[in-house]
Amino acid sequence: GENVEQHPSTLSVQEGDSAVIKCTYSDSASNYFPWYKQELGKGPQLIIDIRSNVGEKKDQRIAVTLNKTAKHFSLHITETQPEDSAVYFCAASKAAGNKLTFGGGTRVLVKP
Amino acid sequence: DVKVTQSSRYLVKRTGEKVFLECVQDMDHENMFWYRQDPGLGLRLIYFSYDVKMKEKGDIPEGYSVSREKKERFSLILESASTNQTSMYLCASSSYRSEQYFGPGTRLTVT
């Protein structure tokens, strides 16, 4: 089955700096890669996703890159703000709507 | 807005009890999922369902069962709760080819 590894497990950044989280996956049949943000006391919420026919996708301060050959994808948050502090999860799936395999999560702390 | 609700936010049960966790979604989604979340392990899939009365095992189904009698409701059952089932349980739903939407989670403690 699919295996997703996520690094780092914790990340502390100064407000205004960038944050990068990296994930690798094992199943070359995976084609859908979402990123979820989980705030304290809440369920995960999708912040951005990318499909295998796209190498990069941006949404304001958030971007995701995908390298299918190397089987890795990354989340980039620029100009971090205190409200970006949360746990972030990457995941992989054969298609949107299908079951997801998640990475272990990254706790991000943005220091003012 | 999509809404996924879970019957309890916090639950405390004793070892050996039968435990029911309920999940309801209001968006007519075909697909529903149960995950458990543990520190450092991310979310792990327990069971999922792509249609009413249909269920499939996820990565860690041992000690759990599920029921989906109606499209909007997906129940997770712990037949005989054990302390190693103390965890956060998250329900999610999705439509064909769409993102998964998560509920707020149920923190279950088995003593």
Side-chain angles (χ1 to χ4, degrees):
Chain A
E2 175 68 278
N3 182 51
V4 178
E5 295 196 359
Q6 182 172 346
H7 299 281
S9 56
T10 60
L11 182 59
S12 183
V13 297
Q14 210 64 40
E15 183 177 356
D17 287 350
S18 294
V20 180
I21 304 170
K22 298 183 178 183
C23 290
T24 60
Y25 63 98
S26 61
D27 189 351
S28 56
S30 289
N31 287 304
Y32 175 68
F33 306 92
W35 286 87
Y36 282 83
K37 176 184 181 181
Q38 186 177 29
E39 297 175 334
L40 202 60
K42 296 184 178 180
Q45 187 170 14
L46 181 78
I47 54 171
I48 195 167
D49 58 14
I50 191 167
R51 287 161 172 79
S52 60
N53 57 348
V54 174
E56 184 175 1
K57 185 177 178 181
K58 285 183 181 178
D59 183 4
Q60 299 182 346
R61 296 185 297 108
I62 292 173
V64 59
T65 59
L66 171 65
N67 184 327
K68 278 222 83 178
T69 304
K71 295 204 196 80
H72 64 72
F73 55 114
S74 302
L75 178 72
H76 304 252
I77 307 173
T78 58
E79 300 171 22
T80 53
Q81 300 168 5
E83 53 264 37
D84 294 328
S85 296
V87 179
Y88 292 80
F89 293 98
C90 63
S93 173
K94 287 186 171 56
N98 285 17
K99 60 178 182 173
L100 293 169
T101 300
F102 283 85
T106 298
R107 184 173 298 278
V108 173
L109 176 64
V110 180
K111 295 180 287 186
Chain B
D1 271 359
V2 174
K3 195 162 186 184
V4 180
T5 56
Q6 295 184 228
S7 50
S8 306
R9 294 300 303 272
Y10 300 94
L11 210 51
V12 180
K13 295 292 181 181
R14 293 191 179 272
T15 301
E17 277 193 83
K18 191 168 185 175
V19 182
F20 293 86
L21 302 182
E22 304 286 340
C23 176
V24 177
Q25 50 93 5
D26 67 356
M27 284 303 292
D28 201 36
H29 283 168
E30 297 83 11
N31 309 328
M32 297 189 75
F33 308 84
W34 274 107
Y35 297 89
R36 65 176 279 177
Q37 181 178 6
D38 300 288
L41 298 178
L43 283 71
R44 291 179 292 165
L45 183 64
I46 305 172
Y47 266 97
F48 60 104
S49 169
Y50 287 152
D51 202 352
V52 177
K53 296 193 186 291
M54 175 269 182
K55 60 185 178 184
E56 285 195 43
K57 292 180 180 179
D59 299 318
I60 52 164
E62 296 78 18
Y64 304 94
S65 62
V66 290
S67 172
R68 193 165 181 205
E69 296 295 317
K70 292 184 177 181
K71 191 175 186 180
E72 67 272 16
R73 187 180 297 269
F74 194 34
S75 303
L76 181 69
I77 304 155
L78 286 67
E79 295 289 342
S80 177
S82 63
T83 54
N84 62 11
Q85 292 178 310
T86 291
S87 187
M88 171 71 83
Y89 289 88
L90 290 160
C91 175
S93 73
S94 72
S95 184
Y96 177 70
R97 299 291 185 190
S98 83
E99 68 179 272
Q100 287 187 25
Y101 294 87
F102 283 84
T106 295
R107 185 166 293 283
L108 173 67
T109 302
V110 182
T111 60

